[in-house]
Amino acid sequence: MSALDENIEKAMSYAAPLRASGVLNHIDGETVGAASGRVFETLSPMDLAPLAEVARSGPEDVDRAVQAAKAAFPAWAGTPGAERRRILIRVAEAIEARAEEIALVESLDTGQALRFMSKAAVRGAANFRYFADQAPGAEDGQALRTPTQMNVTSRRPIGPVGVITPWNTPFMLSTWKIAPALASGCTVVHKPAEFSPMTAKLLVEIAESAGLPKGVLNVVNGLGEEAGKALTEHPGIKAIAFVGESRTGSMIMAQGAATLKRVHFELGGKNPVIIFEDADLERAVDAAAFMIYSLNGERCTSSSRLLVQESIYEEVTGRVAEVAERIKVGHPLDPDTVVGPLIHPEHEKKVLSYFETARKEGATIAAGGEKVGSEGCYVRPTLFTGATIDMAISQEEIFGPVLTAIPFSDEEDALRIANDVPYGLAAYLWTRDLDRAMRMTDALEAGMMWVNSENIRHLPTPFGGVKSSGIGRDGGDWSFDFYMETVNVSFPRQGHRIPKLGG
Ligand code: NAD
């Protein structure tokens, strides 16, 4: 049996219970369908066959989950940080023990290549470990003294929170939000993306089997405009952590306005990788190709704009085109596959439409630019060259294995082009000139920048975007600041004079 056939067999057997029961909700420790009994189908990106039925929840189901999260909140918030840490470390261990299952089911549901998903499952565990370790100190604050007052700050968990996640690497992304929420003492209602709901159900089951009390993490499946909207409008939910498209972020901000929701948004990107003529070109080309063609290009921090100095433009774009042509497109469970099928025919249609847009706008398709085969959502890794910054292919997030190359003349020109988009999530800079790297990173409009490197995430560092790419930061203590309220208590240090009125 080939490695692919073996993986398919294993993936199908891991997914069998979810397929048999349907991907139901998980509320207060119970697996339940939508109150209405309604379902929708999640499709296999490989052949568009129905993969499983999914609960299509509405406001009634969301309310039930919020009531469970509210009821569980006092006990979980009151659990000592060291105990929360112990439980969350056990969750991390349980994820590690089932990493193969998570990775295979995730690949099946999303079309992401197994070679990347196996790492994503392990990173999910690492997220739990990292945030678990911060739990014991999460409520600590500062002592701020004046001659008359001793001010003492501390933090408390904000209350039940809503977590709304997208379909690209859903397991890893969910843990990124859910782990710090739980570590800080919040309870959670999670609304996974409708295109990839399977591993969210695995996560809550794994967490409860590892000792997470019932009702602390609840999952409600459904469509964004139904279950998602109800969650953002629910008065029992104190904050919404959202990862998804920028325009959905705007909608959520409007929906949450009436109940004054605190929001944390991680949104879209159109991230530049800027290569100067003094760069190590081999490393720069490898990193640029990795950041756009891994994870099917369905990655918020993908390097989707290749900005290359004119003197090396032909050479660099030629080399990237060669890499793109060599990349194996195929079944995501094949260990050799780099690019699997895109998540859903709707998304594939959007990505394919940019090939026509590129032609109309006068860019050149230097690699790819076509669908692969007739079955499933397979798209060839693509490079557009000869683009200018005003084109739609340079401005809009395509969210597929599609790279737009734009030449620049000098530092000022590179900066102008890099910043001339609505987004500001990440930027990648390649130069051996340290002074230039300093000048550029001071002026680039991006929340995260990597110099002479691809995206390497270090959990204590802040993750998030500027402009239309987001509000707020994840990672380190920033995550705790979002899920907790800081309060100040002031004590008199001595009998100071209190103004006497009316005397
Ligand atoms: P999306 O915005 O369509 O959906 C994300 C989630 O929001 C889904 O669960 C969806 O059901 C829900 N939703 C949709 N409408 C809603 C509404 N009105 N109210 C409440 N919830 C609603 O995004 P997507 O297509 O699933 O994901 C791709 C996007 O996510 C890309 O733009 C990508 O850049 C972004 N993303 C950003 C980051 C980051 O860290 N900045 C990470 C991953 C993905």
Side-chain angles (χ1 to χ4, degrees), residues 165-167 191 194 224 242-245 248 255 266-267 300 397:
T165 47
W167 44 256
K191 208 300 276 171
E194 47 270 55
F242 168 73
V243 186
E245 286 186 29
T248 315
Q255 291 161 196
E266 281 176 2
L267 310 174
C300 56
E397 186 186 45

Side-chain angles (χ1 to χ4, degrees), residues 13-337:
S13 82
Y14 282 135
L18 279 174
R19 301 186 72 199
S21 63
V23 185
L24 301 180
N25 297 337
H26 194 101
I27 300 176
D28 207 12
E30 307 271 322
T31 296
V32 285
S36 64
R38 294 176 80 192
V39 291
F40 63 93
E41 271 175 347
T42 177
L43 302 181
S44 155
M46 281 71 87
D47 55 10
L48 311 189
L51 203 51
E53 288 190 333
V54 188
R56 183 168 168 179
S57 312
E60 198 182 326
D61 307 289
V62 169
D63 183 57
R64 211 176 142 196
V66 175
Q67 297 314 332
K70 267 174 89 169
F73 177 70
W76 182 245
T79 301
E83 174 63 9
R84 283 204 303 272
R85 174 182 179 279
R86 201 180 59 77
I87 295 171
L88 297 178
I89 295 281
R90 291 222 315 256
V91 173
E93 289 165 354
I95 292 172
E96 277 155 359
R98 287 173 68 177
E100 181 190 70
E101 173 186 357
I102 295 163
L104 285 165
V105 173
E106 188 90 315
S107 276
L108 200 64
D109 203 12
T110 62
Q112 296 276 12
L114 184 61
R115 63 160 70 195
F116 302 119
M117 286 310 93
S118 44
K119 294 192 187 94
V122 175
R123 272 190 61 192
N127 288 341
F128 266 93
R129 264 180 210 287
Y130 174 78
F131 289 112
D133 280 339
Q134 322 297 313
E139 66 179 15
D140 291 350
Q142 298 178 353
L144 302 165
R145 293 151 62 106
T146 73
T148 59
Q149 302 294 122
M150 164 74 94
N151 293 285
V152 180
T153 75
S154 62
R155 293 192 298 199
R156 321 173 163 161
I158 192 169
V161 298
V163 172
I164 302 180
T165 47
W167 44 256
N168 64 319
T169 61
F171 184 85
M172 201 285 290
L173 275 177
S174 315
T175 60
W176 208 347
K177 297 287 170 188
I178 291 170
L182 300 180
S184 61
C186 293
T187 52
V188 173
V189 177
H190 178 204
K191 208 300 276 171
E194 47 270 55
F195 287 171
S196 61
M198 292 178 102
T199 51
K201 181 71 171 127
L202 291 183
L203 175 61
V204 67
E205 286 174 4
I206 289 170
E208 287 183 1
S209 70
L212 191 73
K214 292 177 179 178
V216 170
L217 172 60
N218 306 275
V219 179
V220 179
N221 286 288
L223 309 185
E225 55 277 20
E226 296 175 0
K229 182 167 183 286
L231 185 59
T232 61
E233 290 175 344
H234 201 294
I237 289 290
K238 300 301 165 201
I240 293 282
F242 168 73
V243 186
E245 286 186 29
S246 301
R247 67 188 152 84
T248 315
S250 299
M251 285 196 276
I252 290 179
M253 192 173 247
Q255 291 161 196
T259 48
L260 294 174
K261 288 280 183 297
R262 179 182 288 187
V263 291
H264 185 169
F265 288 163
E266 281 176 2
L267 310 174
K270 190 74 179 176
N271 312 298
V273 52
I274 307 164
I275 307 180
F276 282 92
E277 60 192 2
D278 66 341
D280 180 331
L281 294 193
E282 190 178 339
R283 289 173 67 80
V285 165
D286 285 345
F290 176 76
M291 283 310 303
I292 188 66
Y293 300 131
S294 61
L295 296 176
N296 295 350
E298 295 166 325
R299 177 185 206 153
C300 56
T301 52
S302 72
S303 56
S304 48
R305 287 184 297 150
L306 180 67
L307 276 45
V308 190
Q309 198 153 21
E310 279 159 359
S311 52
I312 53 164
Y313 182 79
E314 293 303 326
E315 183 184 351
V316 168
T317 52
R319 285 208 212 176
V320 173
E322 269 172 39
V323 176
E325 301 285 359
R326 281 201 307 268
I327 283 175
K328 180 173 162 68
V329 180
H331 196 292
L333 295 175
D334 182 336
D336 294 333
T337 290

Side-chain angles (χ1 to χ4, degrees), residues 123 131 176 448 450 455-463 474-476:
R123 272 190 61 192
F131 289 112
W176 208 347
M448 296 168 284
W450 279 269
N455 169 345
I456 298 180
R457 178 90 182 101
H458 181 47
L459 283 171
T461 61
F463 185 105
D474 262 323

